[in-house]
Every structure is written in C-alpha cells, then in structure tokens.
Amino acid sequence: MTVWVIEARDPLIFRDGRPFDAVPGTRAVSLPFPFPSTTAGALRTRAGQDGEGRFQKDAISWVKQIAVHGPLLVELDKNTGDIARWLVHSPSDALLLEPEPPDGARAALKRLVPLEAPPDVHTDLPEGLSLVGMPKPDFRKPIKKAPRYWYWEAFEEWLVNPEDQSVDLEGIGHDGPTREARVHVGIDPETGAADVEKGALFQTRGLEFTRPRGGSNPGDAHRLALAVATETLNLPDGLGFLGGERRLAVWRKSDSSLPACPDRLKSHIRRNRHCRVVLLTDAHFETGWRPTWLLNQIDGVTPGLKAIAIGRPHVVSGWDMAERGPKPARRLAPAGTVLFLELSGDDDAIDRWVDRIWLSPVSDGEQDRLDGFGLAALGVWYGTLQRMEV
C-alpha cells in the first residue's frame, strides 16, 4: 500500500454533530481526531475527480470500493516534510499512575490484565469473559496529563513486552494536535456592519496540527499530520479540502510504509496461541462491543474472545453524498480498545492469520473495513488469568 501524508494548512474542524447554523453565538467544535470515514471520503473524492478537479458522479460506485487504512497521526521531518515518527492512540490496557515521590516528568506504567476472580466475586459479564484490571491494588492516582498518543517505538515495546515500569512522559508520546479557538464576525457587504441575519458573531474550535517543543520559538514546533494508506493509483497530490468549513490541507505521497509486524511478536503469538488485538482506529461491531467478523475462522484460525479492555463508545454519523441525506448514528468501539484472544490453529495458519490481521481493519461490515474502521495491531498475551488480590 502507498502511504499518503495529509498536512493541514489551516486549523481543521471535524464536527461533533452539534448544530452550527447562522445563529449569533453559535460554536463549531471539533472532535479530537477524525473518524476513518472522514479521511476515506476525502481520499475517494480526490480519486473520483476529473482533470479539472470536478468529482464525477458516475465514479461513486467504484471509489467506495477503494480500501483506506487509517488515519494515523504522524510527526513530520522539518526538512523533508516526510514522516519522521508514527503515533497511535494509547492502549486501554496501560495505566499511568503518579510516581512516588512525585515527578512531573515521569509516571508509573501499570499493565491491566485478564483476572481470575475470587470464588465469592460475581459480575454481570457474559459467560467466558474475564475481568480486566490490576492483580494487586494500587492506590496511587492516575496522572492528569497522560499522553493521548504514543510514539510507535514505545507502543511496539508495549505490544511485545508489556511490563510494569517507570516511564518518561515526553519519551512515550503527547496529546497530538493543539486545540485552537477563533471568534468570527459576519459582515454585511452592503452596510459594512455586522450581519445579524446570517450570524453576527460565532466561534470555531479546531485542531492546529503542530506541537510545541517547549522552547520560546514558535517556529520550532513539531509538524504533525495525518497519514493514510491505500492501493489506489490515480490519486493527485496538492491542495484539497478536509473536514468542516472547507479548511485546506496538502496531500503528498510518502516514501514511508506502515510499520511492519516484528518477527519476535509473531513468534510469541505462534508459540503462546494467545494474543492481544489493539484497535488503532475506532471500530464498528454489529453487536456493540463484541466483534463478529474477527471471531470467525480466518485462514484456518478460529479466535475466542477471553476478555476486553474498552472505554466509552464513540458515536459517528455524517452526510451521505450519494443519497443526499444524513447517515444513521452508530456506536463505535474507541481506538485503544484491547481484545484478549485465544487462537486455535497450527503454526502456519497462525502465521497467516497474523499477517492478515496486522494493521488491517477488523470491523464487522465490509464497507466499514474498506473505510478503515477498526485498524488493528497485535500484541503478546500468554493466555493465563492472574489471580486478583483483594
């Protein structure tokens, strides 16, 4: 697949679904990160344009079959503009606690694992599903500024070697794009005064794709961007619109590839016949939090779900450009969700399964997988339930 970098020229707005009409005092508020359908739609729009930049309506059916993986957050090289570092959403089986003694630059990283509950403990979990948490109580508080996004290097180490440890917060990641707010005044061209009919005063809250380095020079900030991977060949580079309010972004082909699956991780999974599936983008499962497609037999491997670490669902909707109407609202399993799986199959089948699932979408619906919902990475899990101490 070819990786494309989408670098914002303006602060981008990925609307959260609240109304934004011509009413004085209204606000357009951005989500912290775009849904996969946003970048997939923008990419397909570019792919379906003619030589003069007009989208061809007869291209709708085939552009919807273009597979898009992403978006993922990247830091750009300040000289070349290409990808310098990959970032992914923090995994839900990692908890950052205040260290002792307090240290604003460090945190205690604790692992959440499937637990064997004591005999007198009862839950409303479905049969066969285990609790996820810390085996031993830890009464320290979670840190207030836990990085939302982890650098790929730290994330890969967590996939292969998830152990409790002390970590440097700047070394593990950051919060991604900077939120910015602007107040706008609508001017009536005839009177030269505020246009009270179309919204005299309104506010937009978007995402500026830069990250301060901590120095006093604003020009020394990290350049951030979105990255998507696709196999389509007729994608033009250059300026385009992305998100709400027709904000501008530059599209260009990258020389980078999506991160490969480490050999040591594949051998761990083959030997242990258990693994973790970590969602890098939001996923849609027909039955809510429980996947269906992922648990089917694929390449000779039938996975079984043993536990899940999941946060509050996200809700996605949107506008159907083909049907000219709103899409139904749906709940998504958020990025960072971790599924603990048992794998049945021989060694060759598990190797094929790992290659098939690694950095591929695992949502239930085929169109959702084409859109990039549920991009997944794999991690080590030994399959044993740890005894919960109370």
Side-chain angles (χ1 to χ4, degrees):
M1 284 188 145
T2 302
V3 173
W4 285 81
V5 171
I6 313 169
E7 185 175 15
R9 298 295 300 268
D10 301 321
L12 299 180
I13 298 176
F14 307 107
R15 294 273 307 283
D16 62 357
R18 280 178 279 192
F20 184 59
D21 300 323
V23 178
T26 189
R27 295 184 177 93
V29 181
S30 177
L31 298 167
F33 203 71
F35 288 117
S37 50
T38 302
T39 46
L43 185 147
R44 290 167 182 158
T45 299
R46 296 181 69 81
Q49 291 174 344
D50 62 13
E52 298 181 355
R54 291 189 295 258
F55 183 78
Q56 303 302 298
K57 291 184 178 179
D58 58 359
I60 290 178
S61 58
W62 72 263
V63 297
K64 289 180 71 175
Q65 299 306 308
I66 296 175
V68 183
H69 291 186
L72 298 177
L73 185 66
V74 293
E75 279 186 10
L76 302 179
D77 185 283
K78 64 180 181 181
N79 296 317
T80 66
D82 205 352
I83 297 172
R85 303 184 77 177
W86 294 84
L87 294 106
V88 295
H89 198 283
S90 57
S92 295
D93 64 342
L95 186 61
L96 292 170
L97 301 178
E98 295 283 358
E100 291 180 352
D103 184 343
R106 302 192 66 82
L109 176 58
K110 305 289 287 188
R111 181 188 179 195
L112 307 182
V113 297
L115 300 172
E116 178 186 356
D120 56 345
V121 171
H122 301 278
T123 77
D124 59 355
L125 289 172
E127 187 175 352
L129 213 61
S130 300
L131 293 168
V132 175
M134 287 187 291
K136 297 180 180 179
D138 192 323
F139 299 104
R140 291 177 289 179
K141 293 182 178 179
I143 63 172
K144 294 180 180 178
K145 296 183 179 180
R148 180 188 293 269
Y149 303 97
W150 286 21
Y151 288 118
W152 182 264
E153 296 81 2
F155 180 72
E156 181 179 306
E157 187 60 29
W158 183 252
L159 294 179
V160 178
N161 186 30
E163 299 292 342
D164 294 351
Q165 56 189 293
S166 174
V167 294
D168 174 58
L169 289 174
E170 285 193 4
I172 202 170
H174 55 66
D175 276 345
T178 305
R179 290 184 175 274
E180 66 89 50
R182 298 181 181 187
V183 176
H184 307 260
V185 178
I187 302 297
D188 187 331
E190 295 184 0
T191 64
D195 190 343
V196 296
E197 297 293 333
K198 297 182 179 178
L201 192 64
F202 61 96
Q203 185 183 68
T204 57
R205 297 178 180 177
L207 301 176
E208 192 168 353
F209 277 71
T210 59
R211 194 73 196 167
R213 293 179 186 267
S216 57
N217 182 7
D220 196 33
H222 290 290
R223 290 169 61 186
L224 302 180
L226 301 170
V228 295
T230 181
E231 292 179 342
T232 188
L233 301 176
N234 61 335
L235 198 64
D237 57 10
L239 278 173
F241 302 113
L242 183 64
E245 304 302 304
R246 295 175 67 80
R247 299 292 174 87
L248 288 172
V250 177
W251 293 65
R252 59 176 174 270
K253 192 181 295 184
S254 171
D255 294 330
S256 300
S257 302
L258 290 174
C261 180
D263 290 338
R264 54 180 178 155
L265 174 58
K266 187 183 289 187
S267 63
H268 269 296
I269 296 174
R270 185 193 314 122
R271 184 167 59 250
N272 297 313
R273 283 173 161 64
H274 290 81
C275 72
R276 291 175 289 151
V277 174
V278 186
L279 299 182
L280 307 185
T281 61
D282 293 357
H284 180 255
F285 302 134
E286 296 291 345
T287 56
W289 54 267
R290 186 183 183 87
T292 301
W293 181 85
L294 179 65
L295 302 183
N296 292 334
Q297 186 181 75
I298 300 173
D299 292 333
V301 173
T302 304
L305 180 64
K306 297 300 177 183
I308 181 171
I310 188 170
R312 293 180 177 177
H314 293 165
V315 178
V316 63
S317 179
W319 186 261
D320 191 323
M321 297 299 291
E323 302 295 332
R324 310 301 298 175
K327 296 179 180 178
R330 303 185 300 165
R331 284 189 165 191
L332 305 176
T337 295
V338 181
L339 301 106
F340 297 83
L341 300 184
E342 179 183 44
L343 306 177
S344 63
D346 58 34
D347 287 356
D348 291 341
I350 289 179
D351 282 348
R352 290 194 300 271
W353 186 87
V354 170
D355 292 338
R356 173 80 176 274
I357 299 299
W358 177 258
L359 293 195
S360 295
V362 297
S363 289
D364 287 348
E366 182 181 0
Q367 188 61 55
D368 288 328
R369 293 196 297 275
L370 289 171
D371 292 349
F373 283 102
L375 196 70
L378 301 173
V380 168
W381 180 46
Y382 296 103
T384 55
L385 302 182
Q386 296 197 24
R387 188 173 181 80
M388 183 171 68
E389 297 182 12
V390 294

